[in-house]
Amino acid sequence: MGILRIILTIVFVLVSLGLTVIVLMQEGKSAGLGAIAGGNSFWEQNKNRSTEGKLVLATKILAAAFIVLALLLNMSFI
């Protein structure tokens, strides 16, 4: 089981680094002037198709992988 723990630790480090990089690449969540007009702009309607939307999705996936790997590495039978 030592080999499995080493592999999971390496994957955990890579996921951690990837999550850090993706979070730093994201833009701030400030509302700006769009909040005054109601925020229902073209950007608000189509942000899932943009690069920012893809970064948000990648963040969610890597965060879930981070949590699962942290729980797996914390188990005593691995």
Side-chain angles (χ1 to χ4, degrees), residues 36-74:
I36 296 172
N40 196 8
S41 65
F42 178 76
W43 167 250
E44 290 292 324
Q45 294 173 358
N46 294 313
K47 70 177 167 182
N48 287 336
R49 297 180 192 170
S50 68
T51 304
E52 183 68 23
K54 292 175 185 169
L55 286 175
V56 170
L57 178 63
T59 302
K60 290 178 184 177
I61 292 170
L62 285 177
F66 180 86
I67 292 170
V68 169
L69 286 170
L71 290 174
L72 283 175
L73 287 171
N74 196 28

Side-chain angles (χ1 to χ4, degrees), residues 2-78:
I3 297 288
L4 182 59
R5 181 174 283 283
I6 292 171
I7 292 171
L8 286 177
T9 303
I10 292 170
V11 172
F12 183 70
V13 168
L14 292 176
V15 167
S16 300
L17 292 173
L19 186 61
T20 303
V21 169
I22 287 181
V23 166
L24 290 174
M25 288 174 56
Q26 291 181 11
E27 295 177 6
K29 300 292 181 187
S30 62
L33 292 176
I36 296 172
N40 196 8
S41 65
F42 178 76
W43 167 250
E44 290 292 324
Q45 294 173 358
N46 294 313
K47 70 177 167 182
N48 287 336
R49 297 180 192 170
S50 68
T51 304
E52 183 68 23
K54 292 175 185 169
L55 286 175
V56 170
L57 178 63
T59 302
K60 290 178 184 177
I61 292 170
L62 285 177
F66 180 86
I67 292 170
V68 169
L69 286 170
L71 290 174
L72 283 175
L73 287 171
N74 196 28
M75 292 183 178
S76 60
F77 61 86
I78 293 181

